[in-house]
Amino acid sequence: MVVLAVAVFVMLSSCAFGCSGNTNSSELKLWNIDDQPLAVQLAAVYKELESLRCEQTTAQQQQNALHQMLITTHEKKRTKEVETTLLDYRINHEEEHNLWSSEEDSKPLVDPCYHYTVLDQAWRATNTTTKYKMCDRHAKWKGWYRLFYNGKSLQMPERCVPVNKCGTHAPLWLAGPHPKRRQGVVTRRVCGHWKKNCCAFKSTPIKVKKCRGNYFVYQFTKPTSCYLAYCADINTLVCGRCRRNQSCVSRDKINWRCKRKRRLLSRKIHFFASYPGQLSGKVNKIRYSKVLVNVGRAFNKRTGVFKAPVKGVYQFFFSTHTGRNGRKTDLWLVINGYWVAVSHTHVSSPSTVGSLSTYMTFLRRGALVFVTHNCGSSWANAASMTITFGGSLLAQRK
Ligand SMILES: *[C@@H]1O[C@H](CO)[C@@H](O)[C@H](O)[C@H]1NC(C)=O
Ligand SMILES: *[C@@H]1O[C@H](CO)[C@@H](O)[C@H](O)[C@H]1NC(C)=O
């Protein structure tokens, strides 16, 4: 059964409008769907359908997330086996291991942030000099990788690394900054340092992506020659400890530290408008022509429509004042074409009543919000401020 909330009935300054003192409490009975005209009943059923659809989407998303978790766990398990083999590989070992060959070549498109291979090889660290020189040309690269040092997340160096570090001759470093998260997947050049030339080896560019939780994944490919190997910057171990509200920064690309992210400058959006006249019957969009507040200029007084300028949590309110005998008056808040909240009054005796409804919701940028007068009659004059519509952005979201 569809249950709709009761609109808040507010007895407004009744004296100004010739109230006879009849404030019968039977006015406060529940709004009953069965009493409503067909159109209103349909709207309510439609809304219920919409919320069911929403629940279904949420369930689907949860299922997808679970699926991805399973994939990642599986990958990690497989990588453990692979690493043991990889650590054994030596110079002059020309045979290419099919280490990363996969059964299925046409993989579904998944987020590399959850679908990567763990590369936890201490010899890749920028502070190691090993006797044996590794060459990443001997590895079969496939898909995305995340760098670790003894189980701790770290990232590629963004600076020239001295030769003979990272367990190889010419260490490969990222010739460009790591991307920000909103940049998604970016392509970066990779350089190998050799004989006083920081980019003596211009290796194949790779793709990089920043993930939620301050880590990066790299789509490594076979370097152009031997002995080149991708480096893991030991100085960036600290980055793995940065909190969600911090980012890892460095001026010299040697010393890294967690720094508090600059707070999002939240946009200020507030509006408050009134309709200085009377409304009767069906009025598709109430044109609140008297605008008292319009910070952020998101409310259009010509059309009566509010357009969300940013994504975030918004709160709206709308009110009216109705009268007359035995007539029902319904005002609906309409968001993106959906009738989401009603202000309902039903005055059965010669009296008037004020009604105020509020609604809070998450909106995407560009969402359209207005108030429709569906039936009945509403009263206001230029000074009374009884038919009003207003709202505020409470919290901006990225
Ligand atoms: C490299 O740095 C790590 C972490 O600071 C340290 O544990 C390790 O001993 C260092 N290795 C060398 C060869 O200095
Ligand atoms: C950053 O987030 C942590 C929790 O992850 C919290 O304890 C801390 O107060 C936050 N700092 C700021 C400045 O918001």
Side-chain angles (χ1 to χ4, degrees):
M1 186 57 204
V2 181
V3 183
L4 281 177
V6 206
V8 184
F9 286 58
V10 181
M11 308 306 285
L12 267 186
S13 54
S14 34
C15 296
F17 305 111
C19 154
S20 60
N22 181 4
T23 49
N24 194 338
S25 63
S26 68
E27 299 268 355
L28 292 167
K29 69 180 177 201
L30 281 182
W31 188 69
N32 190 343
I33 185 77
D34 298 327
D35 295 345
Q36 302 310 309
L38 189 62
V40 177
Q41 291 194 22
L42 273 177
V45 169
Y46 194 50
K47 192 185 149 206
E48 184 69 8
L49 271 177
E50 195 50 39
S51 93
L52 280 175
R53 197 179 304 160
C54 176
E55 274 167 28
Q56 193 184 15
T57 313
T58 314
Q60 182 104 45
Q61 280 168 350
Q62 281 169 347
Q63 195 182 358
N64 286 351
L66 265 174
H67 182 63
Q68 289 221 321
M69 238 169 65
L70 278 175
I71 291 174
T72 314
T73 320
H74 173 73
E75 277 291 310
K76 277 187 182 154
K77 223 188 257 167
R78 204 173 64 179
T79 315
K80 271 262 161 57
E81 293 156 15
V82 165
E83 270 161 26
T84 334
T85 329
L86 189 72
L87 283 169
D88 282 344
Y89 89 167
R90 298 280 188 269
I91 46 167
N92 302 330
H93 194 278
E94 292 301 329
E95 185 199 332
E96 282 180 356
H97 304 259
N98 273 356
L99 295 182
W100 275 274
S101 71
S102 157
E103 307 80 22
E104 80 287 33
D105 271 333
S106 54
K107 262 188 297 183
L109 222 62
V110 288
D111 188 348
C113 285
Y114 303 107
H115 195 260
Y116 55 79
T117 304
V118 173
L119 266 192
D120 193 341
Q121 296 160 326
W123 57 264
R124 289 189 187 276
T126 43
N127 68 344
T128 56
T129 315
T130 44
K131 201 163 58 169
Y132 302 109
K133 302 295 176 214
M134 301 298 193
C135 183
D136 277 341
R137 204 171 157 71
H138 296 150
K140 189 123 186 162
W141 300 99
K142 188 170 172 72
W144 292 76
Y145 298 84
R146 180 174 169 189
L147 293 166
F148 284 87
Y149 180 85
N150 290 334
K152 296 195 184 87
S153 185
L154 75 182
Q155 57 200 58
M156 276 186 81
E158 286 179 21
R159 67 187 166 104
C160 189
V161 178
V163 294
N164 294 324
K165 295 287 181 185
C166 307
T168 191
H169 281 155
L172 290 175
W173 57 282
L174 202 62
H178 280 77
K180 298 206 185 316
R181 212 157 62 79
R182 64 179 143 78
Q183 289 177 284
V185 175
V186 300
T187 303
R188 289 284 181 265
R189 287 192 308 129
V190 172
C191 280
H193 179 196
W194 191 241
K195 287 188 176 163
K196 293 188 179 163
N197 182 351
C198 279
C199 206
F201 293 98
K202 291 180 178 60
S203 196
T204 319
I206 58 167
K207 292 203 164 90
V208 187
K209 186 182 181 193
K210 181 168 187 178
C211 301
R212 221 180 254 283
N214 272 317
Y215 67 90
F216 294 88
V217 286
Y218 307 89
Q219 196 178 41
F220 290 138
T221 58
K222 212 176 259 208
T224 43
S225 54
C226 283
Y227 294 90
L228 306 176
Y230 293 105
C231 277
D233 193 345
I234 200 79
N235 297 316
T236 63
L237 270 180
V238 63
C239 298
R241 293 198 291 270
C242 297
R243 290 175 182 275
R244 250 170 198 279
N245 50 15
Q246 295 176 318
S247 47
C248 204
V249 294
S250 171
R251 214 170 278 172
D252 53 11
K253 305 294 186 192
I254 298 169
N255 301 294
W256 294 78
R257 68 195 170 91
C258 297
K259 192 184 158 207
R260 198 179 140 190
K261 273 183 204 162
R262 237 183 303 150
R263 258 232 224 111
L264 252 184
L265 235 176
S266 188
R267 284 278 297 275
K268 292 196 170 31
I269 312 291
H270 306 282
F271 76 101
F272 179 45
S274 84
Y275 182 85
Q278 293 171 40
L279 296 166
S280 178
K282 176 87 186 142
V283 178
N284 188 30
K285 283 181 194 123
I286 302 177
R287 293 197 193 139
Y288 297 91
S289 54
K290 199 170 157 186
V291 178
L292 288 97
V293 174
N294 197 6
V295 176
R297 309 225 144 266
F299 180 73
N300 184 333
K301 74 171 184 180
R302 203 172 41 76
T303 58
V305 177
F306 172 84
K307 186 174 176 183
V310 293
K311 194 169 157 184
V313 179
Y314 289 82
Q315 183 169 36
F316 299 99
F317 58 88
F318 57 107
S319 71
T320 188
H321 188 115
T322 67
R324 305 279 170 83
N325 261 347
R327 282 183 75 173
K328 293 167 185 169
T329 301
D330 282 346
L331 275 74
W332 281 88
L333 185 71
V334 184
I335 298 184
N336 284 333
Y338 295 101
W339 297 30
V340 297
V342 68
S343 147
H344 174 79
T345 54
H346 186 182
V347 183
S348 52
S349 56
S351 160
T352 63
V353 64
S355 165
L356 171 71
S357 286
T358 61
Y359 191 73
M360 196 190 287
T361 188
F362 184 86
L363 292 184
R364 287 176 195 283
R365 187 177 164 196
L368 300 177
V369 185
F370 62 86
V371 178
T372 190
H373 192 273
N374 199 40
C375 57
S377 61
S378 292
W379 186 95
N381 67 19
S384 68
M385 306 295 287
T386 40
I387 305 176
T388 65
F389 178 32
S392 288
L393 169 66
L394 299 184
Q396 187 176 350
R397 290 284 155 80
K398 257 175 107 175

